[in-house]
Amino acid sequence: MPELPEVETTRRGLAPHLIGRRVENLIVRQPKLRWPIAAALREQLPGQRVDDIERRAKYLLVHTMAGSALLHLGMSGSLRVLPEATPPGTHDHIDWRLDSGQVLRYTDPRRFGCQLWQNPGEVHELLAGLGPEPLSDTFDGDLLWQLSRGRKSAVKLFLMDQKIVVGVGNIYAAEALFAAAIHPARAAGQISRARYRDLAAAVKRILAYAIRRGGTTLRDFISPDGLPGYFEQELYVYGRTGLPCRNCATPIKASVLGQRSTFHCPRCQR
């Protein structure tokens, strides 16, 4: 699934092509994604000028005077700006036809993404109750320490809880815990304030670096310009089962937490 750096990379790639452009109409070839294409999107978006494109967690918000389109890439979705005459492929489900002569094309083989609508002055229910952005000033180690008190769940699951902090998915949680030398299965409530400060700093550093490098290419993600992300080759633990730790050469171990694969170095992480 595209994680926060991939979504932010997509936002930055789309912004120059969308902001200031008018959406002339929508071409919907497949209305059934994770949820049906919102009727309000079909009714309100055509004719509107795009004022801004924002990321909230792993969602994209395309803002207009009439409201905001709420987009999620799901597990395999991508958005690209293409010439209007580009023939659609099998999994090209939706085109936004722009006044530039281009289309914003949504491709999604698994159809787990969504295109919904948020009215002006409202917060969509999918965004309500989300925690702070990990790259914002409101997220830090002190916040993690305060929210973790009394929690017995594994720290990796705590870090991936979207009510605690948004957008820290499986890959980047594993990498940040390695950078902070914290075992992913340790109880969240047993970790000190100092170590949470190290963890929050690692989250910020790794996410920011991944964004600069274009995200993490796994199976499906491709950035809007058609180029893959470049962060995967620099992963320290994720997906490296049995390979030597880049710090100490101990073989990386795999385990399952919360029905998700996780990876750690048994020597470096305690």
Side-chain angles (χ1 to χ4, degrees):
M1 177 182 293
E3 297 204 31
L4 185 149
E6 286 78 12
V7 180
E8 179 62 22
T9 299
T10 297
R11 186 197 70 78
R12 295 183 183 190
L14 295 179
H17 301 282
L18 289 187
I19 295 174
R21 307 299 345 171
R22 190 176 302 279
V23 181
E24 295 190 337
N25 69 296
L26 302 185
I27 301 170
V28 179
R29 302 182 188 89
Q30 173 53 265
K32 296 180 180 179
L33 301 178
R34 184 174 183 182
W35 298 285
I37 303 298
L41 180 78
R42 296 194 191 202
E43 295 166 1
Q44 300 294 329
L45 184 60
Q48 293 298 315
R49 186 185 306 277
V50 175
D51 295 325
D52 198 7
I53 177 168
E54 174 190 5
R55 180 192 53 76
R56 179 67 171 116
K58 299 179 187 179
Y59 294 91
L60 292 173
L61 285 158
V62 182
H63 297 301
T64 75
M65 287 290 291
S68 304
L70 179 67
L71 313 179
H72 195 286
L73 299 177
M75 296 184 69
S76 59
S78 65
L79 290 163
R80 295 193 194 178
V81 177
L82 303 167
E84 185 178 345
T86 305
T90 303
H91 303 296
D92 293 340
H93 302 313
I94 304 167
D95 284 355
W96 294 15
R97 191 162 67 86
L98 307 173
D99 64 0
S100 61
Q102 296 178 306
V103 294
L104 174 64
R105 178 161 292 170
Y106 178 65
T107 304
D108 190 354
R110 301 181 195 176
R111 292 193 289 163
F112 286 167
C114 68
Q115 294 206 9
L116 304 173
W117 187 255
Q118 176 177 280
N119 291 318
E122 297 182 0
V123 176
H124 195 280
E125 61 182 352
L126 291 173
L127 305 181
L130 292 179
E133 291 285 332
L135 298 178
S136 70
D137 292 339
T138 54
F139 172 71
D140 58 20
D142 291 333
L143 176 68
L144 288 178
W145 182 82
Q146 292 166 6
L147 295 178
S148 67
R149 296 305 86 191
R151 291 182 180 250
K152 297 180 181 179
S153 62
V155 64
K156 185 175 180 228
L157 301 182
F158 170 72
L159 187 61
M160 292 173 61
D161 185 339
Q162 299 297 289
K163 295 180 181 179
I164 303 299
V165 58
V166 300
V168 184
N170 200 24
I171 299 169
Y172 297 101
E175 292 295 304
L177 286 163
F178 174 79
I182 298 172
H183 194 290
R186 280 200 64 184
Q190 295 179 356
I191 295 171
S192 69
R193 186 190 294 263
R195 298 195 78 190
Y196 269 125
R197 287 174 176 166
D198 290 342
L199 179 58
V203 167
K204 289 176 179 285
R205 182 178 68 254
I206 290 169
L207 287 177
Y209 183 67
I211 290 168
R212 291 196 302 271
R213 295 288 282 165
T216 304
T217 301
L218 292 178
R219 298 189 194 92
D220 303 300
F221 176 74
I222 299 175
S223 60
D225 58 9
L227 299 175
Y230 295 102
F231 189 66
E232 182 184 16
Q233 60 187 309
E234 301 169 52
L235 296 174
Y236 278 78
V237 291
Y238 187 88
R240 301 189 68 243
T241 307
L243 295 176
C245 172
R246 298 188 194 276
N247 286 351
C248 71
T250 301
I252 299 298
K253 286 192 173 182
S255 57
V256 176
L257 284 172
Q259 300 180 328
R260 303 290 299 276
S261 296
T262 195
F263 307 88
H264 73 282
C265 172
R267 183 174 180 181
C268 293
Q269 294 174 259
R270 303 289 181 176

